[in-house]
Amino acid sequence: MPGIDSSRLFIPVRIAVMTVSDTRTMEDDTSGATLVARLEEAGHLLADRVIVKDEVASITAQLARWIANKEIDVVISTGGTGLTGRDVTPEAFHSVYEKEIDGFSALFHRVSFEKIGVSTIQSRATAGVAGGTYLFALPGSTGACKTAWNGILKEQLDSRHRPCNFVEIMPRLDEHQRRK
């Protein structure tokens, strides 16, 4: 049966939070604040937090810095995953992925559908891996961040989750680079 195996050791991961927005500041960034609160409540460590403009170059530059930083295990972004002309987060994330985690988007839509119905179709939430770092791009609404965290990330970023989780395979994410 899937769930938390309390006999296993909890391993905190180091998570960076990126808010993609042309208008948000740290003072009014409720989605970023929600992610920080959730990850800290779960026992993880906030490695960094920034707000970047809705521009592919700005997003990819920040992703590249965090992917290169071995003190960051996971990046979670919020914002820019919609359908409007300024929403370019998925394009930026796809440009850096080594591998896409296709199931993340499918599962996000499933858990989101339970909350907002067919409106979930307007999200282009995505996830992947680059340089041994997990990358998750979530919609900008606080509700969507809660849905993604509670419905997917809280369990998959918990080393005690069975039958499997993202944390247990972290040491092997970049093994192809070490083989050379």
Side-chain angles (χ1 to χ4, degrees):
M1 190 58 83
I4 300 298
D5 178 350
S6 57
S7 70
R8 295 182 55 93
L9 177 68
F10 176 78
I11 301 169
V13 295
R14 300 161 298 196
I15 303 173
V17 174
M18 175 194 306
T19 298
V20 178
S21 175
D22 291 332
T23 59
R24 295 275 181 240
T25 65
M26 287 294 182
E27 291 75 36
D28 65 6
D29 176 22
T30 57
S31 295
T34 295
L35 289 170
V36 170
R38 299 281 162 123
L39 72 89
E40 289 178 340
E41 286 167 11
H44 299 296
L45 307 169
L46 178 64
D48 199 3
R49 181 178 176 199
V50 299
I51 296 176
V52 300
K53 297 287 183 198
D54 269 316
E55 297 166 353
V56 171
S58 298
I59 298 166
T60 56
Q62 185 61 58
L63 289 173
R65 283 190 291 277
W66 282 342
I67 291 165
N69 183 341
K70 294 306 169 195
E71 297 301 311
I72 295 176
D73 304 310
V74 176
V75 172
I76 305 174
S77 77
T78 175
T81 64
L83 301 173
T84 70
R86 294 291 296 157
D87 292 326
V88 296
T89 302
E91 288 76 12
F93 272 61
H94 283 115
S95 75
V96 301
Y97 287 165
E98 292 167 6
K99 294 184 179 183
E100 185 172 5
I101 305 171
D102 300 349
F104 178 81
S105 179
L107 186 54
F108 174 78
H109 285 294
R110 186 179 141 244
V111 297
S112 181
F113 181 82
E114 295 170 9
K115 306 279 186 201
I116 64 168
V118 297
S119 294
T120 188
I121 201 165
Q122 293 188 30
S123 167
R124 297 184 301 139
T126 184
V129 177
T133 304
Y134 287 111
L135 308 171
F136 301 96
L138 310 179
S141 78
T142 302
C145 290
K146 290 176 182 176
T147 296
W149 182 265
N150 295 339
I152 306 168
L153 297 174
K154 182 178 179 181
E155 291 182 353
Q156 277 298 294
L157 294 176
D158 191 323
S159 56
R160 302 166 299 171
H161 187 266
R162 297 278 130 240
C164 59
N165 59 75
F166 288 143
V167 179
E168 65 192 358
I169 62 172
M170 283 173 60
R172 296 178 33 223
L173 291 177
D174 62 354
E175 65 190 0
H176 64 289
Q177 295 170 337
R178 294 189 309 259
R179 269 190 251 146
K180 296 176 182 178

